[in-house]
């Protein structure tokens, strides 16, 4: 590979350029002291199809309007670029693609940089990004699924009266050190492949969509500003405790006032100082969906700072939703606010027709309506962090989240090396920094189905899990395993055992009669060895909608239904002892790489990719509502 990739590719992809984090990552929002300008819409786009994928850098496309470099396409942002055109070459493209947008900034934004800063933020881009403003490189970021931002005020000086040109180059190449990892395989047989032909090999079962997947925006803050807020809540008898820490950047001379408001706007508590505690008598707790008649209760945490800079008084104001709740794990239970919680939910993907992984409000709201119809109280962000907009609605609706990083496809021994480990630690820092204040997030997941039986996996996951606990001691940490229970090197370090199994599908295909025996043994083996609560984190079967057969045969709706019923029979017995949850694979059908085992994607969804129910959706709905009613917390009838 080294002999065939150019300097820029080697420099930027997986070569240890990821820096330790500094500063916060508050979600941008308009307040009396902050303004926001979304840059979503049509961007100019060009894929660098040169043999070495380096023409854009060699010719410095960022130095002038992209249209002057050659033919450009209109490309929507946010969206994956893969399915937007009719070009199969672009759908499967690996390498650098270039985005550009010219925008006019309000004159007040660029008139006084002594008291104001302008920040460019990208919600996520897959997977490595380099950003220029008016031809000047301002930042770069390794990894998808998480936001990055940069202060561009210095670049904008003297630019009044001209548009601001933003250029973003994105590379979707995966290497042994990226997260998720992959390899580039060059095909050297001249009788079968053209010169320079290569493919991207991956070890995960979803399509490697690429592009700018989440909103791009500009926002302003005062030059002295609220950089970060950390909230840790607790409950002591009838009192809610909101412990807070506010980080201020730009001056050493400032005051901080924090105020907690109820949903109807009443002031509940207030305090002075950057670090402190608010006490709330008889609080409205944050409860999961179907555990309380008022799930997802959120207070508004207002932070106001005043700073003295050269005789001028600057103010900044930020509002953060806060849910008061407490999480605890015992040997056999998962407790939220002191009451047992049973995960009955789904695994999902950010995956939709045409837009791929691009954020789409219509699909997001539809998915949440389906989750509530289903009676699901939880999901795992398989296999990467989901958009902040999705997480906001989880907080609002009371949907409990197992927040997973992009640690999927970690199969090669080289994926456990120091370079990979250091990047994994930084990704966990980015994830915790982004989602640490969310009441819906009750557990971190550091990986999915890694090769955890390898000797290298023990030290690797001991380190990643310990680092995650150091970042956040208030939430349990797990990873999702499909390894042998006796040989799993990382299981001793997790707080909750999460197990994926596909009995009668990938194992003993077509033999429904073995499911219950194998599943009983699975739970007994894991619990007897580790004495930790267990979640059945994946189970299911591929189903082509409309395929029917009796007796049930694989890929029919009847077969998927029987798989669920066999699993549920065992889960009903084991949830009385050690099982604390079940998450179906999958919520909806999704796109994968083309293989002979996938017919236009993975069909294990209980809904189609277009969100239409299969027979299994009604089975699961009936089960989940009965589970909710059996807890005694449900205060309204099923709908």
């Amino acid at each position: 590979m080294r002999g065939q990739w150019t300097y820029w590719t080697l420099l930027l992809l997986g070569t240890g350029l990821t820096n330790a984090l500094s500063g916060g990552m508050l979600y941008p929002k308009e307040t009396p002291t902050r303004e926001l300008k979304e840059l979503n819409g049509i961007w100019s786009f060009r894929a660098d199809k040169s043999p070495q994928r380096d023409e854009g850098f060699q010719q410095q496309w960022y130095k002038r309007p992209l249209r002057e470099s050659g033919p450009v396409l209109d490309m929507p942002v946010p969206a994956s670029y893969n399915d937007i055109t009719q070009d199969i070459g672009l759908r499967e493209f690996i390498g650098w693609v270039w985005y550009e947008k010219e925008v006019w900034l309000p004159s007040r934004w660029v008139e006084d940089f002594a008291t104001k800063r302008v920040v460019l933020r990208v919600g996520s881009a897959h997977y490595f990004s380099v950003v220029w403003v008016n031809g000047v490189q301002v930042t770069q970021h390794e990894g998808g699924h998480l936001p990055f931002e940069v202060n561009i005020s210095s670049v904008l000086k003297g630019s009044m009266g001209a548009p601001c040109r933003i250029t973003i180059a994105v590379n979707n190449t995966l290497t042994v050190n990226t997260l998720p990892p992959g390899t580039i395989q060059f095909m050297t047989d001249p009788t079968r492949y053209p010169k320079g032909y290569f493919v991207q090999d991956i070890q995960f079962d979803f399509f490697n969509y690429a592009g700018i997947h989440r909103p791009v925006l500009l926002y302003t803050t005062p030059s002295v500003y609220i950089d970060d807020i950390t909230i840790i809540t607790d409950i002591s008898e009838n009192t809610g405790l909101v412990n807070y820490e506010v980080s201020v950047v730009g001056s050493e001379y400032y005051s901080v006032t924090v105020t907690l408001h109820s949903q109807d706007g009443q002031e509940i508590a207030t305090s002075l100082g950057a670090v402190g505690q608010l006490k709330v008598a008889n609080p409205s707790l944050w409860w999961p969906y179907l555990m309380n008649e008022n799930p997802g209760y959120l207070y508004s945490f207002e932070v106001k700072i005043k700073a003295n800079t050269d005789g001028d008084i600057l103010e900044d104001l930020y509002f953060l939703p806060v849910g008061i709740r407490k999480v605890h794990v015992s040997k056999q239970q998962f407790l939220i606010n002191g009451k047992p919680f049973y995960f009955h939910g789904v695994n999902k993907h950010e995956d939709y027709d045409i837009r791929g992984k691009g954020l789409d409000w219509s699909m997001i709201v539809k998915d949440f309506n389906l989750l509530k119809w289903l009676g699901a109280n939880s999901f795992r962000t398989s296999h990467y962090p989901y958009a902040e907009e999705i997480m906001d609605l989880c907080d609002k609706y009371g949907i409990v989240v197992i927040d997973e990083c992009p640690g999927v496809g970690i199969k090669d021994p080289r994926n456990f090396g120091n370079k990979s480990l250091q990047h994994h630690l930084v990704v966990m820092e980015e994830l915790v920094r982004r989602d640490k204040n969310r009441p819906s997030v009750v557990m971190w997941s550091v990986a999915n189905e890694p090769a955890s039986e390898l000797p290298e996996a023990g030290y690797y996951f001991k380190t990643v899990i310990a680092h995650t606990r150091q970042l956040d001691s208030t939430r349990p940490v797990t990873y999702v395993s499909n390894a042998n229970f006796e040989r799993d090197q990382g299981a001793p370090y997790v707080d909750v055992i999460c197990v994926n199994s596909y009995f009668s599908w990938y194992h003993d295909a077509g033999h429904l009669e073995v499911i219950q025996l194998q599943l009983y043994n699975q739970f007994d083996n894991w619990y007897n060895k580790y004495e930790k609560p267990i979640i059945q984190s994946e189970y299911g079967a591929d189903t082509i909608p409309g395929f029917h057969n009796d007796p049930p045969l694989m890929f029919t709706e009847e077969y998927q239904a029987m798989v669920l019923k066999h699993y549920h029979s065992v889960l009903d017995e084991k949830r009385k002892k050690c099982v604390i949850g079940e998450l179906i694979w999958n919520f909806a059908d999704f796109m994968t790489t083309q293989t002979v085992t996938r017919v236009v994607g993975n069909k294990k969804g209980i809904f189609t990719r277009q969100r239409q129910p299969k027979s299994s959706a009604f089975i699961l709905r009936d089960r989940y509502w009965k589970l909710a009613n059996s807890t005694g917390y449900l205060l309204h009838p099923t709908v």
Side-chain angles (χ1 to χ4, degrees):
M1 176 176 171
R2 284 191 172 273
Q4 303 192 51
W5 283 92
T6 61
Y7 168 78
W8 265 102
T9 305
L10 290 173
L11 176 66
L12 294 175
L13 292 175
T15 54
L17 289 182
T18 301
N19 298 317
L21 298 189
S22 61
M25 191 60 66
L26 295 175
Y27 186 73
K29 57 182 64 177
E30 290 186 313
T31 76
T33 62
R34 298 178 174 219
E35 294 184 272
L36 184 149
K37 182 179 180 68
E38 290 193 352
L39 306 184
N40 301 335
I42 299 298
W43 288 53
S44 296
F45 175 90
R46 186 179 181 190
D48 185 344
K49 297 184 178 181
S50 60
Q52 299 292 337
R53 301 293 196 261
D54 65 343
E55 183 178 311
F57 290 101
Q58 297 293 340
Q59 298 183 3
Q60 300 181 324
W61 288 356
Y62 51 87
K63 286 288 189 181
R64 60 192 189 279
L66 190 61
R67 61 184 177 274
E68 296 181 9
S69 71
V72 296
L73 301 174
D74 286 341
M75 187 61 63
V77 170
S80 302
Y81 61 73
N82 308 79
D83 292 338
I84 299 298
T85 75
Q86 305 308 110
D87 182 359
I88 188 64
L90 184 59
R91 186 182 190 276
E92 306 291 338
F93 183 78
I94 302 296
W96 291 103
V97 298
W98 293 70
Y99 290 82
E100 179 193 85
K101 193 174 186 70
E102 293 186 351
V103 297
W104 288 93
L105 303 184
S107 58
R108 63 185 178 276
W109 283 25
V110 294
E111 287 173 347
D112 184 10
F113 288 117
T115 61
K116 190 185 300 290
R117 58 196 285 270
V118 179
V119 180
L120 172 63
R121 178 183 171 109
V122 180
S124 77
H126 290 201
Y127 279 93
F128 197 100
S129 305
V130 185
V131 183
W132 297 262
V133 174
N134 295 335
V136 177
Q137 184 176 334
V138 292
T139 194
Q140 61 186 38
H141 182 260
E142 182 176 355
H145 312 287
L146 289 164
F148 60 95
E149 64 182 30
V150 59
N151 182 356
I152 63 171
S153 303
S154 61
V155 180
L156 297 178
K157 289 180 179 178
S159 63
M160 188 181 300
C164 172
R165 183 166 50 83
I166 299 169
T167 308
I168 305 177
V170 182
N171 195 318
N172 63 339
T173 306
L174 300 176
T175 74
V176 294
N177 302 129
T178 57
L179 207 65
T183 55
I184 295 294
Q185 182 179 3
F186 284 90
M187 305 301 190
T188 57
D189 183 348
T191 66
R192 300 179 63 191
Y193 305 101
K195 183 179 179 181
Y197 189 85
F198 64 90
V199 294
Q200 172 80 76
D201 289 333
I202 56 176
Q203 297 297 317
F204 52 85
D205 188 32
F206 55 92
F207 190 73
N208 187 30
Y209 279 113
I212 301 176
H213 286 160
R214 296 173 191 162
V216 180
L217 51 85
L218 295 165
Y219 72 94
T220 68
T221 74
S223 56
V224 182
Y225 61 97
I226 301 162
D227 178 63
D228 198 14
I229 303 169
T230 300
I231 299 291
I232 297 176
T233 65
D234 202 350
I235 303 167
S236 178
E237 296 182 346
N238 294 324
T239 301
L241 306 177
V242 180
N243 302 288
Y244 69 88
E245 181 175 355
V246 177
S247 172
V248 178
V249 172
S251 175
E252 297 180 358
Y253 307 101
Y254 58 85
S255 64
V256 178
T257 304
V258 303
T259 307
L260 194 70
H261 293 95
S262 63
Q263 286 188 349
D264 59 7
Q266 293 187 27
E267 182 178 307
I268 302 299
T270 188
S271 180
L272 300 176
V275 179
Q277 182 185 80
L278 300 178
K279 295 184 178 181
V280 183
N282 300 312
S284 296
L285 299 180
W286 188 94
W287 287 103
Y289 177 55
L290 301 180
M291 260 185 103
N292 186 273
E293 63 180 350
N294 189 18
Y297 188 94
L298 296 173
Y299 292 90
S300 177
F301 185 80
E302 174 190 311
V303 180
K304 185 176 183 179
I305 67 166
K306 289 186 178 181
N308 191 329
T309 59
D310 299 325
D312 293 328
I313 301 297
L314 294 180
E315 293 186 358
D316 193 18
L317 193 63
Y318 192 86
F319 301 91
L320 182 72
V322 168
I324 299 176
R325 64 104 177 95
K326 183 177 182 178
V327 172
H328 177 70
V329 177
S330 70
K331 289 172 62 174
Q332 294 180 314
Q333 290 183 316
F334 195 100
L335 304 174
I336 296 180
N337 302 334
K339 295 184 178 181
F341 176 76
Y342 186 80
F343 295 79
H344 47 88
V346 302
N347 295 276
K348 294 182 88 277
H349 266 300
E350 290 182 318
D351 176 276
Y352 319 103
D353 285 332
I354 301 174
R355 74 281 275 171
K357 291 192 181 301
L359 184 137
D360 184 296
W361 274 112
S362 298
M363 296 303 299
I364 289 171
V365 174
K366 177 65 173 179
D367 281 2
F368 274 100
N369 284 332
L370 288 174
L371 287 172
K372 290 190 285 186
W373 174 87
L374 193 65
N377 63 9
S378 53
F379 66 75
R380 173 168 64 118
T381 67
S382 47
H383 299 295
Y384 39 81
Y386 291 177
E388 291 160 285
E389 293 79 359
I390 293 175
M391 304 299 285
D392 284 344
L393 292 181
C394 290
D395 291 337
K396 179 179 179 180
Y397 297 145
I399 302 297
V400 169
V401 176
I402 301 173
D403 207 352
E404 189 162 272
C405 82
V408 59
I410 305 175
K411 303 292 189 181
D412 190 310
R414 293 173 295 175
N415 303 151
F416 294 92
N418 286 334
K419 195 174 293 183
S420 297
L421 176 58
Q422 291 306 310
H423 179 51
H424 202 148
L425 297 180
V426 172
V427 170
M428 291 310 302
E429 291 177 16
E430 291 188 7
L431 177 56
V432 173
R433 176 179 66 174
R434 192 195 76 166
D435 290 345
K436 61 186 175 182
N437 296 323
R438 297 190 176 278
S440 61
V441 175
V442 300
M443 184 157 53
W444 307 110
S445 172
V446 301
N448 176 75
E449 296 185 355
S452 52
E453 297 181 16
L454 293 176
E456 302 95 318
Y459 173 78
Y460 187 95
F461 284 112
K462 179 181 180 181
T463 304
V464 173
I465 291 169
H467 185 67
T468 305
R469 286 201 186 101
Q470 187 177 34
L471 295 169
D472 176 19
S473 62
T474 70
R475 294 176 175 89
V477 184
T478 189
Y479 69 79
V480 176
S481 178
N482 66 346
N484 179 278
F485 75 99
E486 289 187 309
R487 298 194 295 271
D488 194 308
Q489 301 298 306
Y493 309 111
V494 303
D495 298 301
V496 174
I497 300 291
C498 289
V499 183
N500 294 349
S501 58
Y502 290 90
F503 303 129
S504 86
W505 192 259
Y506 296 125
H507 311 283
D508 300 296
H511 291 280
L512 295 165
E513 67 276 7
V514 304
I515 292 177
Q516 294 192 30
L517 173 64
Q518 295 180 2
L519 193 56
Y520 271 116
N521 286 331
Q522 169 194 281
F523 290 136
D524 289 343
N525 289 336
W526 281 96
Y527 188 75
N528 291 339
K529 183 171 180 62
Y530 299 105
E531 294 188 335
K532 298 175 181 179
I534 303 171
I535 295 176
Q536 182 69 46
S537 42
E538 289 185 24
Y539 70 103
D542 280 83
T543 304
I544 308 299
F547 275 31
H548 295 282
N549 202 87
D550 188 23
L553 298 180
M554 293 179 69
F555 294 98
T556 66
E557 295 195 40
E558 288 78 12
Y559 193 90
Q560 186 183 43
M562 288 304 299
V563 168
L564 267 58
K565 289 179 179 178
H566 280 294
Y567 266 83
H568 295 165
S569 177
V570 179
L571 288 164
D572 282 338
E573 184 66 28
K574 289 300 182 180
R575 68 186 177 91
K576 302 172 186 175
K577 301 173 183 177
C578 60
V579 173
I580 61 169
E582 57 193 75
L583 305 176
I584 189 71
W585 187 270
N586 191 283
F587 173 74
D589 296 344
F590 57 91
M591 189 54 63
T592 64
T593 300
Q594 297 184 77
T595 73
V596 295
T597 62
R598 292 286 178 253
V599 182
V600 195
N602 188 304
K603 303 299 186 188
K604 291 189 181 68
I606 59 171
F607 297 99
T608 66
R609 201 182 190 206
Q610 295 73 36
R611 276 40 181 186
Q612 297 305 310
K614 303 177 189 177
S615 300
S616 55
F618 297 95
I619 294 173
L620 211 61
R621 180 177 189 255
D622 181 65
R623 173 173 178 78
Y624 283 179
W625 280 99
K626 287 179 179 177
L627 284 171
N629 278 302
S630 70
T631 64
Y633 301 125
L634 184 63
L635 301 179
H636 54 82
T638 59
V639 293

